[in-house]
Amino acid sequence: MFGNKTKESPVSKDMMTKQRRYEALVKALHADIFRYAVWLIRDRAIAEDVVQETFLRAWKSLDSLQDEGAAKSWLITILRRENARRFERKQFDLVDIDDVSVADPVAPSDGNIENRDLRRAIASLSEEYREPIVMQVLMGFSGDEIAEQLNLNKNTVMTRLFRARSQIKDILTKDNEAGVKVNG
Amino acid sequence: MDDITFRRTIYADPFTKDPEVIEAAKNDPKKQAFWDDIKQMEASLEQAMNIPVPEDLAEKLILNQSINRFQKHKKRQPWYLALAASVVLASVLSIGLINSSSGNLTNDVFAHMDHVAYEINKYGKTDIASVNNKLASYNGQVKEGMGDIVSANYCYLNSIKSLHLIIKGEQGLTSLFVVPSQLSKSVEQEFNNNVYTGSAFLLKSAKIIIVGENASQVALLKEKAKQLMSFSV
């Protein structure tokens, strides 16, 4: 009666393959996705929650990911959508990070002053400049990929990248000047 | 190319391959200096963006997914559906158990060997304290002397949470899996395919499976594991 059940059923085999694909995806990309989330959200705890939601959703629709090479931008798309849902869900108890004085919301201090200043400068950019530059530098996306991800044309993206860098440079220069004044 | 266009292009993409930009920099040392300056800022920017990631995040994401799969059944439905669902779940599980008792872990172990490369690359160095920390969930510990443990991560062998150590030896990498013995399915004591050789044995509460491309290294690690690893029941 149970004779024909000794073979592994195709369903559980599929499940196993899915589990392995999922684990491979998590291991290969969780670090970059987490970093991206922190830069987008500017709060490590909230970013971690959103990353959890992102990977749960990724698990549910893993079958729709055909090309593993596209996994990174696929996950970023999910992450950005999950982050947007966060705003829909609880509009009232969100606190704008700009209003709160947090020592360093994006990373614990590593004693490197240059890192600290740069992190502050990046975090202080408005979202429209911050997202493209993080996509370019951290995620290694090309101008075309960023344009597709943000639903903008490429010229706009290149302009925003240019402005993002010049703003960072301005902030650092001002910091330096202020530093000289204080020290001098 | 005028100065403003040059700067704009570089600011938008410091690693641009635009031939006009390259040509302009070649002919003008000032432009080249500016470009070098921005490239340097770019390296710092990359370093600053590379913020630390919580150490256990990958494990959490994997565990969370399996917990969530089961909780989904519980939440939304009325109790009688939940009851029906658990009956179905129980039968599915028992069929699964009947099935699984006929197979063994060997294929799963081989499949995991393909992950070795990225596990090392993605996680970086580990140390004996962190390995012992992870072994503690299997009531086990290891003494110094196993060799260079380059990676220690949890993985699933046929949905059993196992610890996968990767040890670097003179002839390349060897993997050691720790599986709770009461959950473990059968594995032959010695097994192999055309790439890997494997060996499995019990250390009290843990089943140890050692796999690698080099048979003598597998044998050597087996002896070391027997001496240096201990598990309590």
Side-chain angles (χ1 to χ4, degrees), chain A residues 44 66 93-94 102 116 124 130 146 173 175:
Chain A
R44 289 175 71 86
Q66 301 293 333
D93 56 275
L94 272 177
V102 184
R116 191 199 62 196
S124 73
R130 200 169 66 240
I146 300 171
T173 320
D175 276 2

Side-chain angles (χ1 to χ4, degrees), chain A residues 108-123:
Chain A
S109 169
D110 55 8
N112 180 328
I113 293 171
E114 188 191 26
N115 274 352
R116 191 199 62 196
D117 291 349
L118 265 171
R119 282 172 185 162
R120 278 194 190 148
I122 301 163

